[in-house]
């Protein structure tokens, strides 16, 4: 009976925002194919019509929207249109996945506690752009990726989970990016699952994830 009730319960509707390749979006789409996954990718929104991820989403039969930021007088007006598109699809969680637009404060406030991002470093180290360059220049021996709630401060919201990878002698931005990306694809679907299962709570700017095994919020790369 409990199993049947769980089956009938509506899945969390996730809206993914992209600007390019969309490999994290694809990882979420793949994860959501499992019958017991508690979330579905209900729409993909891109600010660029040429984002490769749009084709992937369309092939998977997921509704897509393109809202070009060009021609908008300011960030907030663009953000309000993106938000309206998400609301049209009854989205319960916004997942940024390589969305290359800085949001006006309005958007993260409107979606507070309902918008997450994945960033390819162990935040708070190396926010912003050219993340792997920053890591290599700093000479760190470990890097990784972070999933966090989005707040008006760039790459600074409450951290939900991280994955660590080694930085190897001879690494380039490309090799380090690729190693991190493999972990991004493991980490993001887990966090979306926890969110959908109602396990994630924020108090005083800190996140707790209830009823997961100890250490579940920190993955380690099995490589090298
Ligand atoms: C990823 O490295 C993600 O962490 C960052 O942008 C990149 C997007 O890659 N925010 P993809 O479009 O998901 O392949």
């Amino acid at each position: 009976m409990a199993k049947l009730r769980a089956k009938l319960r509506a899945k969390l509707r996730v809206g993914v925002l992209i600007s390019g390749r969309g490999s994290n979006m694809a990882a979420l789409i793949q994860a959501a194919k499992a019958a017991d996954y508690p979330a579905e990718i209900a729409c993909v929104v891109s600010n660029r019509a040429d984002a490769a991820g749009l084709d992937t989403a369309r092939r998977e039969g997921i509704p897509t929207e393109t809202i070009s930021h060009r021609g908008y007088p300011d960030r907030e007006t663009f953000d309000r249109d993106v938000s309206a598109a998400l609301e049209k699809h009854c989205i319960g969680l916004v997942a940024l996945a390589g969305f290359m637009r800085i949001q006006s404060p309005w958007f993260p406030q409107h979606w507070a506690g309902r918008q997450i991002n994945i960033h390819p470093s162990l935040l708070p180290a190396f926010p912003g752009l050219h993340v792997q360059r920053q890591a290599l220049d700093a000479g760190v021996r470990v890097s990784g990726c972070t999933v966090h709630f989005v707040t008006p401060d760039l790459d600074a919201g409450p951290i939900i989970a991280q994955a660590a990878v080694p930085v190897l002698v001879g690494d380039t931005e490309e090799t380090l990016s690729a190693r991190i990306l493999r972990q991004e694809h493991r980490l993001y679907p887990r966090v979306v699952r926890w969110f959908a299962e109602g396990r994630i709570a924020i108090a005083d700017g800190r996140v707790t994830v209830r009823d997961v095994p100890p250490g579940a919020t920190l993955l380690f790369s099995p490589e090298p």
Side-chain angles (χ1 to χ4, degrees), residues 75-96:
R75 286 185 193 279
E76 187 174 320
T77 314
F78 168 75
D79 284 352
R80 283 180 183 269
D81 274 4
V82 171
S83 188
L86 294 165
E87 274 158 4
K88 189 178 81 190
H89 290 279
C90 303
I91 293 308
L93 175 70
V94 180
L96 302 182

